[in-house]
Amino acid sequence: MLRLLPFRQYNEHDVVNMYSLVSSDALESTTGDGLGSNGVFVKVSEGNFNLDTITYGSDSYLGKTDYPFVGGDMYPSNPLTVTGATSGDLPLGLTLNQTAKADENGEKLLYHPTKKEELQAVLPGQTVPVVTRGIFTLASEAFDGAAADYTIGGGIQMSYANVGKITGAAATDATSFGTVIGTGTRTSNGGITDLFAGDYLVVKIG
């Protein structure tokens, strides 16, 4: 699922392209919502730069890989990882792409690279871009409560209850890492369903 709405402003120099998402956080499909969604605030969970740049191993995502006389088929992964930030953490940033195995039809994105790009997704084990600074519009799935609960000019911090999500904070709090600069609500109009209908926040981080 996409937790980031289209309006955003950031510099590519503020995007970290070094980490993949922890494999257990990956979405089964792009219709799901979880730590594999984009717009999730993350922290580094494995930052040992002595590890190999790429690791190879068996993975059920490839299907059956041990047919006789064929040899092994190994799946490549980036061993440096991030996972959802929790209460008290100062996150590295938020994910710009979702990490997912399949599309809305259950077709593996491994075999559909063009659609993978269209869905703003990366495969499990692939590096996911994490942006550390900028202005972003967050759908309701990315934060606790309703937009009315947030104060314009107030701070944001990691949620006490939901990993990877944010909640409001005083701008002076030690755990505050951003500012709410706008709120709003999207609605369906003219008989056309808005897939992102609901509250949203515009936040500045970094």
Side-chain angles (χ1 to χ4, degrees):
M1 173 176 278
L2 303 180
R3 296 183 181 182
L4 273 180
L5 298 182
F7 175 72
R8 62 193 77 170
Q9 294 181 357
Y10 64 91
N11 191 312
E12 286 294 337
H13 291 290
D14 296 318
V15 179
V16 176
N17 291 293
M18 296 193 302
Y19 302 93
S20 64
L21 191 70
V22 170
S23 59
S24 59
D25 291 345
L27 301 175
E28 291 298 319
S29 81
T30 53
T31 59
D33 182 35
L35 295 179
S37 300
N38 80 345
V40 172
F41 290 85
V42 295
K43 62 182 178 181
V44 175
S45 60
E46 178 54 81
N48 182 2
F49 280 75
N50 290 326
L51 296 173
D52 291 338
T53 306
I54 302 174
T55 59
Y56 296 88
S58 59
D59 194 307
S60 60
Y61 184 53
L62 294 175
K64 186 174 175 59
T65 59
D66 58 350
Y67 286 101
F69 315 114
V70 175
D73 199 357
M74 309 299 280
Y75 189 80
S77 297
N78 176 357
L80 301 176
T81 57
V82 290
T83 190
T86 57
S87 177
D89 290 333
L90 291 175
L92 172 65
L94 72 158
T95 54
L96 289 174
N97 285 29
Q98 52 186 332
T99 300
K101 299 178 181 180
D103 66 11
E104 73 279 7
N105 300 310
E107 296 287 337
K108 288 184 178 180
L109 292 173
L110 176 67
Y111 306 128
H112 300 280
T114 300
K115 188 168 188 180
K116 172 171 66 71
E117 297 298 323
E118 294 172 346
L119 293 172
Q120 302 174 50
V122 298
L123 299 176
Q126 284 188 331
T127 298
V128 60
V130 177
V131 64
T132 61
R133 183 178 183 182
I135 295 173
F136 304 94
T137 309
L138 304 177
S140 58
E141 290 80 8
F143 56 89
D144 287 345
D149 300 331
Y150 293 79
T151 303
I152 304 300
I156 57 173
Q157 63 183 355
M158 294 311 304
S159 166
Y160 297 108
N162 297 298
V163 178
K165 295 187 179 185
I166 60 168
T167 191
T172 54
D173 283 357
T175 54
S176 176
F177 59 87
T179 306
V180 178
I181 62 173
T183 63
T185 303
R186 293 169 62 109
T187 59
S188 299
N189 290 295
I192 299 175
T193 300
D194 187 337
L195 295 178
F196 296 98
D199 290 351
Y200 63 86
L201 299 180
V202 183
V203 300
K204 175 182 177 293
I205 65 171

